[in-house]
């Protein structure tokens, strides 16, 4: 039987990798994929906690997170495509219009 | 046996996540992400969450990754990261900060107070989740339908092509154009002023205008 802390430790590692990817990469699509890695790390921690405590509420929460992730990806990719249509290139460094 | 499955899936998951972050080609990144999602589905199975494992494969590896691959095919990105990075020192700060984040989260995980009474198997897979979803979590469950509908409408509004340049003044793409132009002129960005004016005159852009900001030789 694998201890639950192994799962949460793995989820911490995946979350950190995803966070570094969000900061390091310049391609918005890869940044989105790194965000997916972070979301999945959080999901894994939720399922691991739910299994430790023996109820299914963690899994219900993961279900909601999956729904939100699907909506987020759809809207985010639509925004990326709209920006690409306007600028013909895709570097996040150019997109400082909303920065203060 | 279970430990072996966990170690294998964990190694594949961490390796594919590293591949996603370190490889420059976004198509490779998408494939690495599929592998990562699959390994997490295996981990869900070892935790007794069969429904989530199936949903992971169907929703993430099926639907969301199709969206990603579709966007990659449409936009053909990747050339943005080939040139020299003007902000490389700032970006390299991400490594120590990432290590710090990892340390912090690991400390939180390890220092967590031990749960009482050992490990209990989650009761049932689909049955328990369905019961919870339609009793205690019924309201959030219905809210997700509103969220998906709002996302659908928003995506349609963003992706819709205007009938003409004059008619799209209030459309989201028109507003984004205005904001980007203002920022480009302020910062002296690569494509400001006449190039932007040429683009907005060349609408609709599905006819592929001469692409002012793009180097034909790549």
């Amino acid at each position: 039987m694998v201890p639950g802390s192994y799962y949460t430790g793995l989820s911490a590692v995946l979350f950190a990798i995803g966070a570094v990817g969000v900061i390091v990469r310049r391609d918005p699509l890869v940044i989105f994929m790194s965000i997916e890695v972070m979301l999945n790390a959080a999901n894994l921690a939720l399922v691991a906690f739910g299994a430790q405590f023996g109820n299914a509420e963690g899994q219900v929460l993961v279900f909601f997170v999956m729904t939100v992730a699907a909506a987020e990806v759809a809207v985010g990719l639509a925004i990326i495509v709209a920006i690409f249509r306007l600028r013909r290139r895709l570097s996040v460094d150019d997109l400082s219009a909303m920065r203060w | 046996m279970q430990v072996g499955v966990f170690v294998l899936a964990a190694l594949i998951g961490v390796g594919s996540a590293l591949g996603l972050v370190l490889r420059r080609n976004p198509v490779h990144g998408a494939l690495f992400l599929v592998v990562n999602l699959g390994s997490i589905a295996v981990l869900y199975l070892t935790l007794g969450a069969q429904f989530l494992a199936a949903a992971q494969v169907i929703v993430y590896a099926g639907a969301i990754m199709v969206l990603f691959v579709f966007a990659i095919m449409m936009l053909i990105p990747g050339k943005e990261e080939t040139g020299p990075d003007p902000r490389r020192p700032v970006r390299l700060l991400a490594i120590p900060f990432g290590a710090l984040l990892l340390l912090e989260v690991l400390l939180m995980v390890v220092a967590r107070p031990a749960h009482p009474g050992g490990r209990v198997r989650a009761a049932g897979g689909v049955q328990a989740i369905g019961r919870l979803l339609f009793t205690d979590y019924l309201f959030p469950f219905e809210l997700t339908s509103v969220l998906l509908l709002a996302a659908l409408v928003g995506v349609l509004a963003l992706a819709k092509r205007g009938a003409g340049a004059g008619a799209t003044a209030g459309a989201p793409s028109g507003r984004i154009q205005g904001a980007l132009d203002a920022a480009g002129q302020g910062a002296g960005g690569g494509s400001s002023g006449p190039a932007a004016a040429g683009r907005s005159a060349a609408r609709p852009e599905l006819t592929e205008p001469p692409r002012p900001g793009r180097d034909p030789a790549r």
Side-chain angles (χ1 to χ4, degrees):
Chain A
M1 192 60 84
V2 185
S5 60
Y6 285 20
Y7 285 97
T8 46
L10 172 64
S11 123
V13 171
L14 285 177
F15 190 86
I17 291 175
V20 170
V22 168
I23 302 172
V24 167
R25 299 303 298 262
R26 281 187 277 170
D27 190 336
L29 284 167
V30 180
I31 289 178
F32 256 80
M33 291 193 249
S34 301
I35 291 177
E36 293 303 313
V37 170
M38 292 170 75
L39 280 171
N40 272 288
N43 281 352
L44 183 61
L46 282 173
V47 175
F49 285 137
Q52 274 184 7
F53 288 98
N55 63 18
E57 302 210 350
Q59 301 186 28
V60 174
L61 219 53
V62 171
F63 178 81
F64 289 132
V65 172
M66 276 186 187
T67 318
V68 173
E72 169 244 334
V73 165
V75 176
L77 287 181
I79 291 175
I80 289 177
V81 169
I83 289 174
F84 181 76
R85 274 179 183 160
L86 297 172
R87 303 216 111 187
R88 293 286 157 201
R89 52 189 306 236
L90 261 188
S91 182
V92 287
D93 289 340
D94 299 338
L95 303 175
S96 55
M98 292 174 75
R99 197 173 67 183
W100 54 274
Chain B
M1 171 66 191
Q2 268 209 325
V3 178
V5 172
F6 171 81
V7 169
L8 195 63
L11 283 180
I12 292 175
V14 171
S16 56
L18 282 175
L20 164 67
V21 173
L22 296 179
R23 292 299 296 261
R24 287 187 176 242
N25 193 333
V27 180
H28 295 175
L31 295 177
F32 274 124
L33 184 56
V34 172
V35 174
N36 188 31
L37 298 174
S39 73
I40 288 183
V42 171
L43 291 174
Y44 286 165
L45 275 183
T46 66
L47 282 167
Q50 294 93 352
F51 170 70
L52 282 185
Q56 173 95 358
V57 171
I58 293 171
V59 175
Y60 264 117
I64 294 183
M65 287 317 296
V66 166
L67 260 185
F68 268 116
V69 174
F70 207 76
I72 289 174
M73 289 192 325
M74 221 172 121
L75 307 180
I76 318 179
K79 56 186 174 296
E80 318 297 347
E81 303 200 345
T82 49
D85 190 351
R87 305 187 187 181
R88 186 175 177 83
V90 181
R91 284 225 167 69
L92 285 183
L93 273 183
I95 310 296
F97 276 119
L100 204 65
L101 174 71
L102 176 62
L103 194 69
E104 188 180 343
V105 183
L106 275 181
L107 273 182
M108 278 167 58
V109 167
V110 173
R112 187 178 87 255
H115 58 280
R119 188 165 154 187
V120 194
R121 270 280 163 203
V126 184
Q127 203 178 2
I129 294 179
R131 183 159 293 146
L132 271 174
L133 264 185
F134 289 104
T135 55
D136 291 352
Y137 292 91
L138 182 60
F139 185 59
F141 181 72
E142 297 295 338
L143 277 186
T144 56
S145 65
V146 179
L147 172 75
L148 287 177
L149 184 66
L152 185 65
V153 175
V155 168
L156 279 179
L158 275 172
K160 201 180 92 172
R161 305 296 302 159
T168 57
S173 55
R175 283 203 295 273
I176 293 174
Q177 170 83 70
L180 289 179
D181 283 347
Q185 277 161 8
S191 67
S192 61
R199 256 180 323 200
S200 51
R203 283 186 178 178
E205 284 152 8
L206 276 183
T207 56
E208 290 287 312
R211 299 182 177 182
R214 178 179 284 194
D215 181 10
R218 235 180 168 184

